[in-house]
Amino acid sequence: SVWLYFLNKLIPESDVGLHNFSHIATLIAKGCVDSYIWGILSNSVGIFGRRMLEGDTQSEALRVWHSKIVSVTLMDFQFWPLWAILNFQVIPKKIQVSFVALGAIIWNIYISLVANWESTVHPAPSHSAQSSRSPVAHAKVQFRSGAMGHDIPHHVNEHDSHPEFKLPKWKRERREREWESG
């Protein structure tokens, strides 16, 4: 990829490794630079873009991004530097891009879950009986409501809905059309 090419020009492969303290420090620095620069940019685009694709307005997507980016960035700093160090030290150069792609698949699953999980954006009121749900009951309601991307048609009345499980705008509109058409 272009990013790995640029990063290898910035911090050459010959300067990283486990040979001595200087090479180890450069290896760690290379992994951190990879994560900090590319990570923040790609995570921001990932969260905001996924919310826009789900039908959010720009202000809704920005609100979700604002509520998620710090925790995602902290998780990024735990995952990607270690993945990058492994990539730059253990993985042969000819398959490094493929190894990064494998990490990206894992990371994108995480980003998709975070970007679409509304619990920190629309917290339940503390006095609500629904706020004491078990994680399993929580997941069942989310599954039934279609918030996990499953398209199970059913009517959710105002007593079954929960602000934590806000459906994307396009899905809410589609359900309204389905109910109106019969």
Side-chain angles (χ1 to χ4, degrees):
S1 78
V2 174
W3 171 247
L4 285 178
Y5 176 80
F6 171 76
L7 191 58
N8 284 328
K9 290 292 183 191
L10 181 67
I11 305 173
E13 189 178 334
S14 60
D15 293 347
V16 300
L18 301 175
H19 315 298
N20 58 44
F21 181 75
S22 173
H23 282 93
I24 292 170
T26 306
L27 175 63
I28 292 169
K30 189 172 185 177
C32 290
V33 166
D34 183 35
S35 181
Y36 296 165
I37 294 173
W38 183 250
I40 291 172
L41 175 66
S42 65
N43 291 332
S44 294
V45 169
I47 292 170
F48 186 82
R50 280 172 175 81
R51 295 310 310 162
M52 292 296 293
L53 290 172
E54 285 290 324
D56 285 0
T57 64
Q58 285 182 347
S59 62
E60 289 172 330
L62 189 58
R63 179 185 48 78
V64 171
W65 171 84
H66 189 265
S67 71
K68 308 281 184 169
I69 194 62
V70 172
S71 63
V72 167
T73 301
L74 292 173
M75 184 60 76
D76 182 284
F77 294 165
Q78 294 174 35
F79 177 79
W80 280 110
L82 296 174
W83 195 268
I85 288 169
L86 195 64
N87 187 41
F88 298 132
Q89 183 57 41
V90 177
I91 304 301
K93 188 170 179 124
K94 65 182 180 181
I95 62 168
Q96 284 183 351
V97 172
S98 297
F99 188 72
V100 169
L102 176 62
I105 290 169
I106 295 166
W107 188 252
N108 278 301
I109 291 169
Y110 169 75
I111 289 292
S112 292
L113 291 171
V114 168
N116 292 306
W117 188 263
E118 292 284 337
S119 63
T120 60
V121 178
H122 301 290
S126 59
H127 62 278
S128 169
Q130 293 181 353
S131 65
S132 61
R133 279 193 188 127
S134 73
V136 172
H138 181 88
K140 284 180 182 177
V141 170
Q142 189 174 17
F143 181 83
R144 281 194 337 256
S145 70
M148 293 178 75
H150 303 286
D151 198 17
I152 301 172
H154 72 285
H155 179 64
V156 178
N157 66 37
E158 64 275 359
H159 302 294
D160 291 333
S161 62
H162 192 275
E164 276 187 276
F165 308 116
K166 179 183 171 209
L167 295 174
K169 183 179 177 184
W170 67 268
K171 197 172 265 189
R172 290 190 309 267
E173 290 171 351
R174 183 175 67 189
R175 286 200 176 166
E176 288 173 12
R177 286 191 305 271
E178 287 173 357
W179 275 101
E180 289 172 1
S181 65

